[in-house]
């Protein structure tokens, strides 16, 4: 069985942050003392070199399509450190001409002042974790910036456009503790007024092993959440934003290429503490892998944590779990070329989904319906073996 090789991205995880937010279930560690920036960067490069050797036949002639530096708070690293890291990565594997390189940043003043340096180092997209503009909500969420700093950070990002910053994203949450519908919409209006090319607007969910899980705050009820989403979606659409993924809105031409590659069942190398990757071999094998979570183990040079072959029977679920996060139609050829399976193998499940009005189909595409989006879990369960 031969597979078509999808675009190849790279995820880089930097695990440190100033303090752990009470809703955060990412692999992040509150900064204690000086962050070992130079040492960690050397480990990232060694980790990448190891993967490039291990997956050489899978990577083939592919170049890096996009890079996403996430965390933690990557903007705690110096501009010089990020510049060096990107330059050294490019020595090891070629970049596509129009590569998108995103760095997650805190909108605090110190990090925002580094934006120009990051852009000079090769970053061409910045993603800022604003979450809210209300002082009380920022405090409740454990954020260390204020409203003025968030607005100032957007100005820094706009100024960096002349040096090569192509786009920036604002992360904004709704459904916050004790948040009214009008407060949520006020936050959204403030974000829209700043005119970011991309807006990630997502609902706060309580995840296990977070402070909010053990001390649950009072959140808006389902009716309020629906009102927030419905009215917020209308505000975004009226302002020229198009929803292209469950929680992502973008102006025309500003979709996040890195995230699109995830949801389209693309491949991605992954380096850094707890990073997760996926790689396809032209001969038909698809693997998911992860890296050691804790900085102590990782910085002993113990990079690889796990590797797992995606079995043929699991591929329909894996493929659709990703594709149905996107609102775009799913080409049937993508399913065949990226999973190595025939359309016939999923015919009964697709027929059931169409019958339940979860999907519509043409000879070339499947399209998830509004009803299907509301019952996404039930739709996906059909593909579980």
């Amino acid at each position: 069985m031969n597979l078509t090789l999808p675009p190849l991205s790279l995820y880089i995880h930097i695990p440190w942050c100033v303090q752990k937010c009470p809703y955060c279930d990412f692999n992040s560690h509150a900064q204690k003392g000086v962050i070992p920036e130079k040492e960690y960067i050397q480990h990232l490069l060694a980790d990448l070199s190891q993967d490039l050797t291990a997956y050489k036949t899978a990577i083939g002639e592919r170049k890096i399509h996009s890079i996403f530096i996430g965390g933690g708070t990557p903007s705690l690293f110096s501009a010089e450190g990020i510049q060096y890291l990107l330059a050294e990565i490019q020595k090891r594997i070629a970049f596509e001409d129009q590569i998108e390189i995103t760095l997650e940043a805190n909108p605090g003043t110190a990090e925002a002042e580094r934006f120009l340096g990051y852009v000079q180092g090769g970053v061409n997209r910045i993603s800022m974790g604003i979450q809210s503009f209300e002082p009380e909500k920022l405090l409740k969420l454990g954020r260390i910036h204020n409203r003025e700093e968030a607005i100032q950070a957007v100005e820094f990002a706009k100024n960096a456009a002349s040096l090569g910053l192509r786009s920036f994203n604002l992360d904004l949450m709704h459904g916050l503790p004790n948040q009214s519908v009008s407060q949520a919409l006020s936050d959204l209006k403030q974000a829209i007024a700043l005119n970011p090319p991309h807006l990630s607007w997502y609902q706060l969910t309580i995840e296990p092993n977070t402070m909010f899980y053990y001390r649950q705050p009072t959140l808006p009820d389902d009716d309020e959440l629906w009102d927030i989403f419905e009215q917020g979606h209308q505000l975004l659409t009226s302002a020229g934003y198009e929803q292209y993924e469950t929680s992502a809105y973008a102006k025309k031409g500003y979709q996040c290429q890195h995230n699109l590659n995830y949801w389209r069942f693309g491949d991605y190398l992954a380096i850094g503490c707890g990073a997760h990757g996926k790689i396809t071999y032209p001969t038909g094998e698809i693997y998911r892998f992860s890296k050691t979570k804790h900085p102590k183990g990782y910085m002993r040079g113990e990079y690889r944590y796990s590797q797992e072959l995606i079995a043929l029977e699991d591929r329909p679920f894996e493929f659709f779990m990703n594709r149905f996060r996107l609102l775009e139609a799913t080409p049937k050829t993508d399913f065949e070329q990226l999973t190595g399976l025939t359309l016939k193998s999923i015919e009964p499940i697709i027929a059931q989904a169409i019958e339940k009005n979860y999907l519509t189909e043409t000879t070339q595409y499947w399209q998830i319906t509004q009803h299907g989006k509301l019952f996404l879990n039930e739709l996906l369960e059909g593909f579980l073996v």
Side-chain angles (χ1 to χ4, degrees):
M1 178 207 332
N2 287 338
L3 294 182
T4 301
L5 296 182
L8 180 67
S9 295
L10 171 64
Y11 176 72
I12 302 169
H13 193 78
I14 293 175
W16 292 282
C17 52
V18 176
Q19 65 181 34
K20 186 88 171 172
C21 297
Y23 58 85
C24 176
D25 71 332
F26 293 138
N27 183 30
S28 58
H29 302 264
Q31 175 185 357
K32 289 171 186 166
V34 179
I35 292 172
E37 180 180 314
K38 285 183 179 172
E39 191 187 346
Y40 189 70
I41 286 172
Q42 291 309 320
H43 281 290
L44 288 173
L45 294 169
D47 185 4
L48 178 65
S49 295
Q50 206 173 83
D51 278 359
L52 293 177
T53 302
Y55 299 123
K56 190 176 179 182
T57 56
I59 293 164
E61 297 301 309
R62 284 187 283 178
K63 296 178 179 180
I64 295 293
H65 167 76
S66 63
I67 295 175
F68 196 101
I69 307 170
T73 307
S75 55
L76 291 176
F77 273 29
S78 67
E80 295 77 18
I82 297 296
Q83 187 170 357
Y84 172 78
L85 174 63
L86 292 173
E88 288 297 313
I89 290 168
Q90 197 168 7
K91 287 178 189 174
R92 289 159 173 79
I93 183 165
F95 291 179
E96 283 183 9
D97 290 343
Q98 291 304 305
I99 186 171
E100 175 194 86
I101 303 177
T102 302
L103 177 118
E104 281 187 338
N106 245 352
T109 308
E111 285 99 323
E113 285 172 352
R114 297 193 196 127
F115 285 2
L116 296 179
Y118 294 134
V119 175
Q120 285 166 333
V123 171
N124 53 30
R125 186 175 180 275
I126 283 174
S127 181
M128 287 178 262
I130 304 286
Q131 314 313 3
S132 176
F133 291 96
E134 277 203 35
E136 180 228 333
K137 299 293 183 248
L138 288 169
L139 200 64
K140 189 78 178 168
L141 293 172
R143 305 301 290 167
I144 57 167
H145 66 273
N146 59 36
R147 181 180 179 277
E148 289 68 32
E149 284 177 317
I151 294 166
Q152 180 74 51
V154 172
E155 289 310 309
F156 277 118
K158 287 177 179 175
N159 292 338
S162 60
L163 287 171
L165 189 73
R166 287 190 222 147
S167 181
F168 64 91
N169 167 62
L170 302 186
D171 265 356
L172 195 71
M173 297 170 96
H174 62 274
L176 303 180
N178 303 309
Q179 188 178 46
S180 66
V181 174
S182 61
Q183 284 176 327
L185 296 175
S186 172
D187 259 353
L188 186 56
K189 285 173 189 169
Q190 173 68 80
I192 291 169
L194 294 171
N195 200 28
H198 191 285
L199 244 170
S200 297
W201 188 55
Y202 54 98
Q203 184 186 319
L204 170 66
T205 52
I206 306 296
E207 303 291 349
N209 302 317
T210 63
M211 211 183 297
F212 276 174
Y213 182 77
Y214 297 109
R215 292 183 190 170
Q216 296 231 355
T218 306
L219 301 181
D221 63 32
D222 287 348
D223 287 344
E224 288 172 310
L225 289 171
W226 181 250
D227 286 345
I228 291 168
F229 173 75
E230 210 171 27
Q231 293 178 48
H233 180 76
Q234 212 168 356
L235 280 172
L236 285 157
T237 307
S238 303
Y241 290 93
E242 186 187 345
Q243 185 186 21
Y244 69 96
E245 187 252 311
T246 308
S247 308
Y249 291 77
K251 295 277 179 80
K252 196 169 175 59
Y254 287 99
Q255 295 171 323
C256 175
Q257 296 306 304
H258 189 85
N259 284 350
L260 279 178
N261 194 36
Y262 282 158
W263 309 133
R264 287 174 179 162
F265 208 52
D267 279 356
Y268 41 100
L269 297 171
I271 57 175
C273 298
H276 288 253
K278 170 186 169 279
I279 196 81
T280 303
Y281 282 81
T283 46
E285 301 89 1
I286 306 173
Y287 287 93
R288 289 202 182 276
F289 60 90
S290 68
K291 300 299 171 68
T292 300
K293 276 185 85 169
H294 203 280
K296 278 184 182 170
Y298 186 83
M299 291 174 75
R300 285 198 298 265
E302 299 159 9
Y303 307 134
R304 178 64 53 82
Y305 177 71
S306 70
Q307 178 172 284
E308 187 184 351
L309 179 70
I310 302 178
L312 285 173
E313 60 268 23
D314 294 332
R315 289 184 191 180
F317 177 76
E318 289 260 352
F319 177 84
F320 288 114
M321 179 181 67
N322 287 284
R323 279 309 299 229
F324 287 158
R325 286 215 35 162
L326 295 173
L327 274 66
E328 66 183 19
T330 301
K332 293 179 178 181
T333 51
D334 278 12
F335 176 79
E336 293 181 300
Q337 290 171 356
L338 299 176
T339 66
L341 300 169
T342 63
L343 296 179
K344 203 167 178 58
S345 66
I346 54 165
E347 256 177 15
I349 307 163
I350 294 289
Q352 268 188 343
I354 291 168
E355 200 180 311
K356 290 177 178 174
N357 190 28
Y358 294 160
L359 293 180
T360 58
E361 76 170 341
T362 66
T363 51
Q364 292 178 301
Y365 296 98
W366 296 296
Q367 177 67 62
I368 188 166
T369 62
Q370 284 295 124
H371 186 64
K373 274 181 241 161
L374 291 173
F375 292 93
L376 185 58
N377 287 345
E378 285 87 341
L379 168 58
L380 293 173
E381 274 169 18
F383 296 99
L384 282 171
V385 180

